[in-house]
Amino acid sequence: KVGDDVKTLFGRGTITAIRDDSVLVVRISSWRLSGRNTVTCYPSPSDPNIQVVRPKTVYQMSVYEKVENAQKLKADASVKFTAKQFKEALELYSEAVNSVRYAQHTQNSTNELRADLLVVMITCCNNAATCCIQLQDWDKAYKFGKNALVLLEALYKKRGDSKIHDVLNQEGFGDSQLFGTWKVKSYIVIARGLAEKFDTEEALEHLKKGQEMLTIFKKEGDVRFQQLASQEKQIRKLQIKCKERLKAERKKERQRAKAMFGGSDEKKDPDEKNNSNEGRKQATAYSDKGGKKSTAHNTSTVMPVENGGSEKLSPEKIPYEKSSAENSTSSFADKSKPGWANDDDAEPTFWEEHGEALCIAGVGAVSLLSFLAFRRR
């Protein structure tokens, strides 16, 4: 049936159709002619050389087969993407990328095959990154976009000297598409992923590089002009959002720094500010002469009198009473003041300390002399 893998006398292939006369149409996949020319054979179902075989796994496929498998998966994924089934589309795009990720070229690999592999890798990575953005998977969006950008930058450095670049140009993939729409798309999806991960400065750097590519390849009359103009609008919108977010982040950093190291008077409690202002107002007095400002405190006091009125007393008239703290003696007294000798901590005199011992020594000396004098007699 159609779609079966079969072995024929000419090699392995896939049944693509069955004619009315029951002749099979088999496209050979195990080898190719030069360029992209494929081989098709028309065996009869009764041919003993026809044998249905199990489909190959990715690891069993040749480079040609891997690229064809990736192209088929990409076509299926595009249908899902158009239907906004982003999760299913992402799975198919990822499978396509994985099928050719480790493809090893041989000396038989043509430039056309290499170009096909490059195209399917770049487009599937960019489209997979777009699906990740729709699914808000920012890490994967960044990784897919970065993979596409690495391939495009390598091709951009070798443009003019690369046969693959020449093949792509000849087949309709102009520089405005390769390094314009495709590369700018990579910058956009990378910047979007970085911005959502709050790496705003690096996101702005990628948007700036995308803007530089637009400056080079966005030209009037080019078939990609409208698409590049649309991408330019996307870059400007992202730049505005990133700059606003960066401004807000820096403002928060300044607020945290002020909170950590002490803020200005503007951040004090309004009630505290009012109290401090009233205190300063009360501490400031104005003299009667000339209305000049004086920082002296107003110490006049109003005291009641016997006849029911009141009398404003100056500081000289207010009776003074010593406080208990003033009447008490400080433990750290000055030795020059009277009464220092009566302090409990004063040092005793030599006689007070050694008087008793001297008396005993004197009595002992007198007794010894009397004893000596008695023996001489």
Side-chain angles (χ1 to χ4, degrees), residues 354-367:
H354 304 289
E356 185 178 355
L358 291 173
C359 290
I360 294 173
V363 171
V366 172
S367 300

Side-chain angles (χ1 to χ4, degrees), residues 28 155 272:
I28 303 300
L155 183 63
E272 184 180 348

Side-chain angles (χ1 to χ4, degrees), residues 91-127:
E91 292 176 356
L92 291 170
Y93 282 129
S94 300
E95 188 178 352
V97 171
N98 291 331
S99 67
V100 294
R101 183 185 297 275
Y102 303 108
Q104 298 293 330
H105 287 292
T106 65
Q107 59 182 359
N108 297 324
S109 297
T110 63
N111 291 325
E112 288 79 10
L113 176 64
R114 297 171 189 269
D116 289 345
L117 190 149
L118 188 64
V119 169
V120 76
M121 277 288 289
I122 292 170
T123 54
C124 285
C125 284
N126 273 340
N127 292 341

Side-chain angles (χ1 to χ4, degrees), residues 301-313:
T301 306
V302 178
M303 297 187 64
V305 295
E306 294 180 357
N307 58 5
S310 61
E311 180 182 2
K312 190 172 184 180
L313 299 179

Side-chain angles (χ1 to χ4, degrees), residues 196-255:
E196 295 296 339
K197 294 194 299 181
F198 295 94
D199 197 346
T200 314
E201 293 184 359
E202 191 174 351
L204 286 170
E205 287 295 325
H206 281 80
L207 291 173
K208 182 180 178 181
K209 293 178 181 179
Q211 190 70 45
E212 292 172 357
M213 290 293 102
L214 287 171
T215 304
I216 298 172
F217 296 103
K218 180 189 170 188
K219 297 178 181 179
E220 290 281 354
D222 191 274
V223 292
R224 303 291 172 181
F225 179 81
Q226 293 296 333
Q227 191 173 356
L228 291 170
S230 176
Q231 288 179 329
E232 188 174 20
K233 292 179 181 179
Q234 293 181 40
I235 288 178
R236 288 177 179 174
K237 289 180 180 179
L238 282 173
Q239 283 176 332
I240 293 172
K241 291 181 179 179
C242 287
K243 288 178 180 178
E244 290 177 352
R245 177 174 289 180
L246 187 62
K247 185 177 179 181
E249 289 174 358
R250 290 176 177 173
K251 185 177 180 181
K252 288 181 180 179
E253 289 177 1
R254 288 194 297 268
Q255 290 175 349

Side-chain angles (χ1 to χ4, degrees), residues 18 98 139 159 165 247 334 368:
I18 301 176
N98 291 331
D139 289 329
R159 68 188 187 281
H165 179 244
K247 185 177 179 181
D334 188 358
L368 180 60

